[in-house]
Amino acid sequence: MTERFSFTLKATDGRARTGVIDTPRGQIRTPAFMPVGTAATVKAMMPESVAATGADILLGNTYHLMLRPTAERIAALGGLHRFMNWSGPILTDSGGFQVMSLADLRKLTEEGVTFRSHIDGSKHMLSPERSMEIQRLLGSDIVMCFDECPALPADRDRIVQSMRLSMRWAERSKEAFGDRPGHALFGIQQGGLEQDLREESAEALKEIGFDGYAVGGLAVGEGQEAMFGCLDYAPEMLPTDKPRYLMGVGKPDDIVGAVKRGIDMMDCVLPSRSGRTGQAFTRRGVVNIKNARHADDPRPLDEACTCPACTGYSRAYLHHVFRAGEIISSMLLTWHNLHYYQELMASMRAAISEGRFDAWEAEFHALRAEGDGARRSRSQPRYRHGPPG
């Protein structure tokens, strides 16, 4: 087990990359998808269940945890890993995005952001220094710089102002982070959809120097075509020997497109949130289990999936428990979605290692184009652990 943070690039195929991030708390195989544990939990999942899906790392949210139960309380109880019973690596975001999107009565200055909590209206201040302090108290393995992220579309002047403020905050974040062996600090590239501003941001971050680099300011309303257009150049502006993290993405085809363009890490609430609302991701697209057509369907969600939802339960059962509002619905569908996302990452890692990513990608899109109705057989399914009890 390493005592320091490091990244090893194992193979490339086109611009797609696979490698390993070593941390004192374990390895992170890349490309990696990080389930989101906003409030120190991945909703509807036990930590050991999340690990069973294949996840190497979780994401925790600075904004939510600083408000409740507070970073100071978590530190007094032994840190975030012990608090939520997760022994693997944890990445914490800086809180900047949530302040901009959730908090009330925000006031942005050079110093930072003052805001009122969306929970109880209490007043708070987040600055680069305070964000670093909170993430230190939480004890996360990967810490994100404090930044400002404007929603898109935005005019160029607004994007310039925001990006340059974020770069000044990045420098302050690096100074406040200090020397913490075994912990990593990631810088965040900004610049909207403007290539020259992305380049300016990347150069500023490289001048400061970070353990990894995120492509920020995407998946904020610009659409997939515009996002991919930015990813056609933005990751290549960042160092090749450091991990590249695309924040807040996304749908399966977003993830595949990002990996194709050189991204190593991603996170999104989508698989867990969708599970709670009756949506399941499969190789042939999205299944809306709430639909009446599933009420008498004995098939599993995906006949090739090995998760508990697919090996033990029919679509008819999953439809029933969702309609009945049973807690097991969220548990099974969330497990399935996270399992699907981790299998997606594992299959991409293998394809890149074997130099067949283009063929893998073509098959991925072909299966999704068939749609869920392509194999609507009424034959009895084969349950790997016996029929539902």
Side-chain angles (χ1 to χ4, degrees):
M1 187 78 71
T2 181
E3 292 302 314
R4 301 195 69 85
F5 178 96
S6 65
F7 174 62
T8 304
L9 189 61
K10 299 286 190 180
T12 61
D13 188 1
R15 290 171 58 194
R17 300 146 43 106
T18 185
V20 174
I21 299 170
D22 283 293
T23 80
R25 290 189 176 270
Q27 290 190 329
I28 305 161
R29 299 161 293 175
T30 67
F33 179 81
M34 299 181 283
V36 177
T38 302
T41 176
V42 178
K43 289 181 174 62
M45 294 287 286
M46 299 283 285
E48 53 268 35
S49 304
V50 178
T53 69
D56 294 331
I57 178 172
L58 297 184
L59 182 142
N61 187 273
T62 290
Y63 170 84
H64 288 280
L65 294 171
M66 70 174 278
L67 296 179
R68 184 172 59 193
T70 75
E72 287 75 12
R73 178 169 287 145
I74 290 173
L77 292 167
L80 186 56
H81 296 84
R82 180 179 296 178
F83 187 63
M84 66 182 294
N85 193 30
W86 174 263
S87 61
I90 295 175
L91 179 149
T92 46
D93 62 12
S94 72
F97 177 79
Q98 285 73 27
V99 168
M100 301 304 166
S101 61
L102 293 178
D104 295 324
L105 301 174
R106 298 177 299 274
K107 183 179 180 182
L108 177 67
T109 67
E110 184 71 33
E111 178 61 22
V113 186
T114 56
F115 63 95
R116 291 196 179 275
S117 164
H118 73 288
I119 298 171
D120 60 9
S122 57
K123 191 174 181 180
H124 299 268
M125 167 72 175
L126 258 182
S127 65
E129 293 77 16
R130 176 59 177 154
S131 178
M132 296 303 101
E133 180 187 20
I134 291 168
Q135 293 181 79
R136 178 185 58 78
L137 288 168
L138 295 175
S140 54
D141 305 278
I142 300 177
V143 172
M144 300 304 300
C145 279
F146 190 60
D147 68 331
E148 200 236 338
C149 175
L152 297 178
D155 64 62
R156 181 179 170 88
D157 287 345
R158 172 75 177 92
I159 294 170
V160 169
Q161 180 186 43
S162 174
M163 181 274 288
R164 290 176 180 165
L165 175 64
S166 290
M167 295 307 98
R168 295 192 295 273
W169 283 359
E171 193 163 9
R172 286 167 56 190
S173 294
K174 175 72 178 288
E175 184 174 348
F177 178 79
D179 182 20
R180 298 181 61 201
H183 299 264
L185 179 65
F186 279 28
I188 305 175
Q189 181 200 52
Q190 293 288 355
L193 303 176
E194 307 290 333
Q195 186 167 353
D196 63 321
L197 298 184
R198 288 278 171 183
E199 184 70 53
E200 180 183 333
S201 177
E203 291 303 313
L205 293 173
K206 288 187 288 186
E207 179 69 22
I208 299 167
F210 292 96
D211 302 299
Y213 295 83
V215 179
L218 295 178
V220 289
E222 74 280 3
Q224 187 189 76
E225 183 178 356
M227 180 179 74
F228 282 171
C230 183
L231 291 177
D232 282 336
Y233 56 79
E236 295 299 296
M237 298 172 176
L238 303 171
T240 59
D241 62 344
K242 305 289 185 182
R244 302 164 175 169
Y245 165 30
L246 178 61
M247 306 178 75
V249 173
K251 295 179 180 178
D253 54 337
D254 293 335
I255 288 174
V256 172
V259 169
K260 180 180 182 177
R261 291 164 172 83
I263 294 295
D264 304 307
M265 304 168 67
M266 285 138 287
D267 77 280
C268 192
V269 298
L270 192 63
S272 49
R273 179 177 292 167
S274 295
R276 300 193 304 277
T277 58
Q279 287 191 321
F281 294 97
T282 76
R283 294 171 302 133
R284 291 186 171 81
V286 177
V287 173
N288 289 303
I289 204 66
K290 66 188 81 170
N291 289 353
R293 71 182 181 91
H294 301 296
D296 298 300
D297 194 338
R299 297 178 305 150
L301 285 170
D302 188 328
E303 66 276 7
C305 180
T306 59
C307 82
C310 290
T311 56
Y313 302 92
S314 66
R315 293 187 182 208
Y317 179 79
L318 296 172
H319 171 83
H320 159 66
V321 290
F322 179 82
R323 286 292 189 184
E326 294 290 347
I327 294 171
I328 196 173
S329 171
S330 294
M331 295 167 62
L332 288 173
L333 292 177
T334 299
W335 193 320
H336 167 82
N337 284 344
L338 291 175
H339 180 98
Y340 169 79
Y341 268 60
Q342 295 302 336
E343 283 207 332
L344 185 69
M345 308 316 290
S347 60
M348 283 193 287
R349 291 193 295 264
I352 296 165
S353 294
E354 296 163 13
R356 53 179 180 84
F357 184 81
D358 286 346
W360 179 92
E361 184 193 18
E363 183 180 4
F364 166 82
H365 289 298
L367 271 174
R368 288 171 64 83
E370 286 183 10
D372 179 55
R375 296 190 178 182
R376 290 208 68 207
S377 155
R378 289 290 176 176
S379 60
Q380 290 294 322
R382 182 184 65 188
Y383 291 107
R384 293 177 180 81
H385 300 310

